[in-house]
Amino acid sequence: MMRLAALFMVTGFVAGCATVVPRNVVPERLADEAELAGMPNIRVWGDASAESFAALSMTKGSRGGSLVEARGLSERQSREINMLAISGGGDNGAFGAGLLVGWGEAGTRPAFDLVTGVSTGALTAPFAYLGRSRDPELKEAFTRYQRSDIYDPGLVTPLLGSGLVDSSPLEKLIARYVDDRFLRDIADERRRGRVLLIGTTNLDAQRPVLWDMGRIAMSGHPQALKLFRKILLASASIPGAFPPVRISVRAGDRTYEELHVDGGVTQQVFVSRPSLVVRDGDLARRRAVTHLYVIRNGKISPEWEAVDAGIFSISLRSISTLIKNQGIGDLYRIYAKAQIDGTDFNLAAIPSGFAATREKSFEQGYMQALYDEGYRSGFQGYPWMKAPPGIANKTNPPAFRRTTQALSLPN
């Protein structure tokens, strides 16, 4: 993806001659009220207020307004709430996939109450959300395919106007797995109170958007499956390389189009406010112990590389360094809030000693090696880091401060 971004810089001057299909842009004053026709309240701004997030938790058709109520937790009972956040990382997503499958086969992977995903993490998250029954498909998705199954490497055409390459192979790959049955399974889990959120970036607004995929699946709308697939594609569409995904919305009595791209543009990894999981004021809520697992599909330690003095090498290295440090910044923010809230923080990342390399993106050999690395770690018991790099790797406070009076992680 970084090589494509560098190529975009070289050929960008040609794009000025491109023909782009015009769209009716949502006016700024209507941005907050734009909704998808027939599917209200299926998304929220990633930087929205706590009240906006709380509204999503009250899902019509579920067995309760919140996860804890849906699971029947009483005042005398206590339980654990497990949250999983999966980052972007392109073909490095094979690490997270392997970690999850190995963890599942070890028999210690919990059923996650809240799962979030961005970019390649968005493609992993629905499988993790559905549990171990989908592990064979998760493995296949990150070990069977190669570059030509993600985008057409022979079609590098800035004259298309919106992207350098054709992302229709990835669109078809998503459709291969996300079918009507897949959607029904997602809906069933949402009715049980579990939450799946996928992040995209609204380019017009320069803001993250979080989509409640379970609510989309539950809607019964004839376009629900198509929208579900489009959101996954949008979250994985790096701008400049892949064309953005156009999503039609209604505001007032008019139809508009939004442009959505890779969620990693605004946040490499995110954790939603747990008001989506446990409603404020619930006595049982204060007895819940919360565990957060973050999978960073990349290395978080500096990596030495002798950089050529040419513009392409400098640009490529600078972009990759920027993305790495943006991701680490997201981890710091999430960790700080977890400490305030008494949440048990757990971080996994590609080991610094992993030495396999690839010449091009999405090489099968590289992805298989990375998947195997993740699988071994998950199966043998991954040594979860209790803090991001640069912070003393100590355990969280005893019992993680079992009261969750201030429980709300950043977006």
Side-chain angles (χ1 to χ4, degrees):
M1 292 298 98
M2 291 302 97
R3 293 179 186 277
L4 286 174
L7 181 59
F8 174 68
M9 295 177 65
V10 180
T11 56
F13 73 94
V14 185
C17 305
T19 300
V20 179
V21 178
R23 65 187 176 96
N24 193 15
V25 181
V26 180
E28 183 179 1
R29 71 180 189 283
L30 299 178
D32 288 338
E33 62 183 78
E35 289 187 329
L36 282 84
M39 285 185 279
N41 301 321
I42 60 170
R43 63 182 188 171
V44 66
W45 294 113
D47 51 6
S49 66
E51 292 75 17
S52 297
F53 276 85
L56 274 185
S57 69
M58 302 300 292
T59 306
K60 181 179 179 181
S62 67
R63 297 186 317 195
S66 68
L67 174 69
V68 163
E69 291 176 332
R71 296 287 178 87
L73 183 64
S74 70
E75 277 188 58
R76 296 183 180 180
Q77 295 173 311
S78 64
R79 61 158 305 218
E80 294 182 344
I81 292 176
N82 294 293
M83 301 187 294
L84 173 67
I86 313 173
S87 83
D91 51 10
N92 284 332
F95 171 76
L99 177 64
L100 286 165
V101 175
W103 189 8
E105 292 199 11
T108 54
R109 189 176 96 197
F112 298 107
D113 304 306
L114 171 66
V115 180
T116 72
V118 169
S119 195
T120 193
L123 304 179
T124 306
F127 296 103
Y129 176 76
L130 292 178
R132 289 197 57 196
S133 65
R134 296 284 179 167
D135 282 358
E137 294 167 282
L138 177 58
K139 176 182 178 180
E140 181 179 275
F142 281 91
T143 59
R144 176 180 174 182
Y145 304 106
Q146 54 192 344
R147 190 162 48 117
S148 60
D149 297 303
I150 308 300
Y151 63 90
D152 186 343
L155 185 60
V156 181
T157 314
L159 292 178
L160 291 177
S162 295
L164 285 173
V165 299
D166 178 13
S167 61
S168 60
L170 177 58
E171 187 175 7
K172 293 175 183 176
L173 190 60
I174 290 171
R176 182 178 303 175
Y177 291 98
V178 181
D179 55 15
D180 289 324
R181 179 182 175 184
F182 194 96
L183 204 68
R184 287 195 299 270
D185 290 346
I186 295 287
D188 288 344
E189 293 305 316
R190 187 63 175 94
R191 291 188 183 97
R192 295 185 178 99
R194 300 175 63 236
V195 180
L196 169 65
L197 296 179
I198 298 299
T200 65
T201 297
N202 183 316
L203 274 184
D204 295 312
Q206 287 190 324
R207 296 176 71 183
V209 179
L210 308 186
W211 300 82
D212 187 334
M213 306 299 278
R215 178 167 276 191
I216 293 172
M218 288 173 55
S219 69
H221 194 282
Q223 296 296 313
L225 179 59
K226 181 178 180 181
L227 177 63
F228 196 103
R229 293 169 173 172
K230 288 181 74 171
I231 293 167
L232 295 183
L233 178 63
S235 187
S237 294
I238 183 170
F242 290 0
V245 174
R246 299 185 177 212
I247 296 180
S248 295
V249 296
R250 294 280 297 179
D253 58 352
R254 297 191 63 184
T255 299
Y256 302 94
E257 271 193 333
E258 298 174 340
L259 286 185
H260 287 259
V261 297
D262 195 325
V265 171
T266 45
Q267 45 192 7
Q268 286 288 310
V269 63
F270 73 92
V271 179
S272 160
R273 301 179 195 275
S275 59
L276 277 171
V277 180
V278 188
R279 190 169 58 191
D280 290 340
D282 193 331
L283 291 176
R285 174 181 182 272
R286 296 195 294 269
R287 298 177 61 85
V289 177
T290 305
H291 302 277
L292 169 62
Y293 299 91
V294 180
I295 297 178
R296 179 69 180 105
N297 286 308
K299 294 181 179 180
I300 55 177
S301 56
E303 299 172 83
W304 170 262
E305 178 182 318
V307 180
D308 183 80
I311 184 173
F312 301 132
S313 297
I314 292 173
S315 299
L316 180 61
R317 184 66 168 172
S318 298
I319 292 171
S320 63
T321 302
L322 173 65
I323 291 174
K324 170 179 279 190
N325 284 280
Q326 177 195 354
I328 292 173
D330 290 336
L331 295 176
Y332 282 140
R333 185 170 65 251
I334 293 172
Y335 173 77
K337 235 358 192 168
Q339 290 295 291
I340 293 172
D341 298 338
T343 295
D344 175 36
F345 179 90
N346 301 275
L347 170 64
I350 296 176
S352 59
F354 180 74
T357 60
R358 77 283 207 197
E359 290 297 321
K360 299 178 181 178
S361 58
F362 299 101
E363 288 183 354
Q364 260 187 314
Y366 173 79
M367 294 179 70
Q368 183 67 62
L370 194 51
Y371 175 90
D372 291 343
E373 176 73 27
Y375 179 88
R376 283 192 297 269
S377 298
F379 187 77
Q380 295 171 1
Y382 187 86
W384 295 90
M385 293 172 274
K386 291 295 182 179
I391 298 178
N393 194 5
K394 60 184 180 180
T395 57
N396 286 311
F400 323 126
R401 292 218 307 264
R402 287 178 180 270
T403 176
T404 54
Q405 294 173 351
L407 187 61
S408 64
L409 298 180
N411 306 308

